[in-house]
Amino acid sequence: MTELLVQVAAFLVAIGILIAVHEYGHFWVARRLGFKVLRFSIGFGKPLLRHVGQDGVEYVLAAIPLGGYVKLVDEREGPVPPEDLERAFTRRPVWQRIAVLVAGAGANFLFAVFAFWLVFLQGVPGLKPVVGEVRTESLAAAAGLRAGDEIVRVADRDTPTREAAILGMLGEVVDQGRVEFVVARGGSERALTLVVPDAERRAITEPGAWGAGVGFEFTRPHLPVVVGKLVSGGPAEAAGLQVGDTIVAVNGERVDEFSDFVAVVRERPGQTVQLDVRRGAQDLRLPVSVRGERDTSLPDRPLIGRIGIAPGGEPKFPPGVETVERYGPIAALAPAARETWDKTALTVKFLWRMVTGDVSLKNVSGPISIAAYAGVTAVEGITAFLGFLALISISLAVLNLLPIPILDGGQVVYQLAEAVKGSPLSERAQVFGQQVGIVFLLLLMTLAFYNDIARHFG
């Protein structure tokens, strides 16, 4: 329950901030260009708080916090007093209307730059992209990648962290199905090319499928096989395991890494395994019945084995793998802007490739996933939460600029059509566009909720 409350609170805070930023972008530009603003609302529905400022604008905080709007004087919504006609939306030049429409997304992009700037000031802890394991007969092996290689550049861009390497490689795969990258090996650099067949691109772009699909993993930390937590009613608890136990062997085979232990158990759903356990000065052998469960992230795969424990040891990476990316106030501006640009470009690529069928639709996330990520990052600290806000701000900006009539991007299309045509589109055409836009958004929301449910509830 506590976790759920944290997720809901973090989600509401995040959405509230980003909606306020977006709507303030519309509001600020509209005021500067001479439009008359009637209302600035955060949320929809019944007003909870209302204040009329000295500027005559009604400021509202409404009950449903999943959106907002800036209401301008507009002849399309009813009669306008003669003294306000010059400041009505429909009477302003087309370029000014477009400026107001795109200002919301612009504010979200600027907020992302600001958030990333704060993140880089604090310092971004990361891990160097050092390869730990390459599966034989995989795409990575065919590219010539080896254990111990460090990926230093992808498509001529430096990759100081694993996140930078993965996002860079994903972007190239989505864009052209092949990745040109450089690795450091034995004191020298080597250029490699990873080619992803068209038939595999869609599967590889599913959430969490990158490493397994390409066939390599980064260096993992050493994590001893110590029981840190037991799932209530799980097989491990039923067999008598206790928090603090160290699992030494499975069926007589020694295990030193928690990940190796997990791999052994996963392959044995429905079987009974013999665990050699050290408890203080005691050595025990406990039989455990492995439960077969469905991996919710890979629902089409066979059952996997689980016994219901979580690790309790302290993970330790090899020396030199951990890194921190930190800049001063001026130096942080460039990487913050670059990070915003890169994340925006990747988002647009993914959206377009989803339309063409080259990228999995499972990448569309809804409010359940966003709330879960918000909760996790809020618990991790302000730096992680700021990074999350930046990513969602970029997604909100890109979504609003899509040429769908009900969104800002669709309204921009209407204004451009009016500029070319010399007069507004007919009311019938605009109503039809709105209906198409509503249908599209309903389909998108349905897909997002379906992905959320499949991802979190199987």
Side-chain angles (χ1 to χ4, degrees):
M1 179 60 69
T2 301
E3 182 179 352
L4 178 61
L5 290 175
V6 169
Q7 290 180 357
V8 172
F11 174 75
L12 292 177
V13 169
I15 292 299
I17 291 172
L18 298 181
I19 289 173
V21 167
H22 182 89
E23 298 306 330
Y24 186 75
H26 292 307
F27 175 80
W28 189 85
V29 172
R31 292 286 297 271
R32 291 304 177 276
L33 293 179
F35 292 77
K36 183 168 183 177
V37 180
L38 298 176
R39 182 180 299 147
F40 180 101
S41 178
I42 303 300
F44 298 112
K46 182 180 179 180
L48 301 177
L49 297 174
R50 179 189 283 124
H51 170 72
V52 178
Q54 293 181 351
D55 53 6
V57 178
E58 182 184 23
Y59 298 91
V60 174
L61 180 64
I64 304 174
L66 299 179
Y69 62 94
V70 174
K71 183 176 177 60
L72 306 175
V73 171
D74 194 327
E75 292 176 283
R76 297 170 298 180
E77 298 181 3
V80 174
E83 64 272 17
D84 291 336
L85 281 175
E86 185 181 348
R87 303 175 64 191
F89 182 84
T90 48
R91 297 294 181 101
R92 307 304 295 175
V94 170
W95 72 267
Q96 291 187 2
R97 291 182 241 162
I98 292 176
V100 171
L101 289 167
V102 301
N108 283 124
F109 286 130
L110 289 175
F111 177 84
V113 173
F114 174 70
F116 281 132
W117 178 75
L118 291 176
V119 166
F120 284 123
L121 283 181
Q122 295 290 322
V124 184
L127 300 169
K128 292 183 179 180
V130 178
V131 177
E133 180 182 348
V134 179
R135 195 173 67 244
T136 57
E137 300 182 2
S138 65
L139 298 177
L145 197 64
R146 298 180 185 176
D149 287 350
E150 180 180 349
I151 302 172
V152 294
R153 283 190 301 281
V154 174
D156 296 326
R157 294 291 300 274
D158 292 339
T159 53
T161 63
R162 295 181 180 186
E163 181 190 18
I166 291 174
L167 291 179
M169 298 180 86
L170 264 176
E172 293 300 299
V173 168
V174 169
D175 200 28
Q176 55 188 6
R178 58 189 290 120
V179 184
E180 306 285 345
F181 64 108
V182 176
V183 299
R185 177 188 301 168
S188 61
E189 294 187 349
R190 296 172 182 264
L192 304 178
T193 302
L194 186 147
V195 179
V196 179
D198 290 343
E200 299 182 32
R201 286 169 69 180
R202 183 181 177 88
I204 283 176
T205 59
E206 291 185 8
W210 170 256
V214 176
F216 80 90
E217 294 182 3
F218 291 117
T219 302
R220 294 178 295 191
H222 169 62
L223 184 60
V225 194
V226 176
V227 179
K229 183 179 179 181
L230 290 163
V231 175
S232 179
E237 184 183 63
L241 264 78
Q242 298 179 9
V243 172
D245 286 350
T246 298
I247 299 172
V248 178
V250 182
N251 293 338
E253 295 290 331
R254 184 175 180 85
V255 288
D256 297 312
E257 296 285 348
F258 195 88
S259 58
D260 294 336
F261 171 72
V262 170
V264 171
V265 173
R266 284 173 67 94
E267 295 174 356
R268 290 166 172 77
Q271 300 181 26
T272 297
V273 295
Q274 301 292 329
L275 301 185
D276 292 335
V277 177
R278 183 166 296 130
R279 180 180 298 163
Q282 287 184 292
D283 288 324
L284 309 171
R285 172 162 287 187
L286 301 176
V288 181
S289 299
V290 180
R291 179 182 295 165
E293 296 183 0
R294 187 77 61 190
D295 188 339
T296 57
S297 65
L298 299 169
D300 299 329
R301 304 288 177 85
L303 294 177
I304 61 173
R306 285 178 174 154
I307 64 171
I309 68 171
E314 188 68 27
K316 294 183 179 180
F317 281 95
V321 172
E322 296 178 278
T323 183
V324 177
E325 194 174 4
R326 181 184 287 113
Y327 302 92
I330 302 301
L333 290 172
R338 183 173 63 248
E339 192 78 4
T340 302
W341 171 260
D342 289 345
K343 294 296 192 297
T344 301
L346 187 62
T347 301
V348 172
K349 284 181 183 179
F350 262 69
L351 282 173
W352 174 244
R353 293 299 181 179
M354 278 191 275
V355 172
T356 61
D358 296 319
V359 168
S360 173
L361 293 175
K362 293 180 181 180
N363 287 286
V364 177
S365 295
I368 298 175
S369 291
I370 295 173
Y373 299 147
V376 169
T377 55
V379 170
E380 288 181 355
I382 186 63
T383 300
F385 191 62
L386 282 170
F388 164 78
L389 286 177
L391 293 176
I392 301 302
S393 191
I394 290 170
S395 298
L396 180 62
V398 172
L399 176 65
N400 269 277
L401 290 179
L402 293 178
I404 300 169
I406 200 171
L407 300 176
D408 294 335
Q411 296 301 314
V412 169
V413 173
Y414 282 169
Q415 305 309 316
L416 293 174
E418 179 178 336
V420 172
K421 184 171 176 278
S423 61
L425 293 176
S426 68
E427 184 176 345
R428 181 178 179 183
Q430 293 190 44
V431 169
F432 176 76
Q434 297 285 354
Q435 292 171 341
V436 171
I438 291 172
V439 170
F440 179 86
L441 286 184
L442 287 174
L443 292 174
L444 186 63
M445 290 170 60
T446 301
L447 174 64
F449 273 109
Y450 173 82
N451 285 345
D452 276 359
I453 292 170
R455 189 175 297 139
H456 295 279
F457 305 107

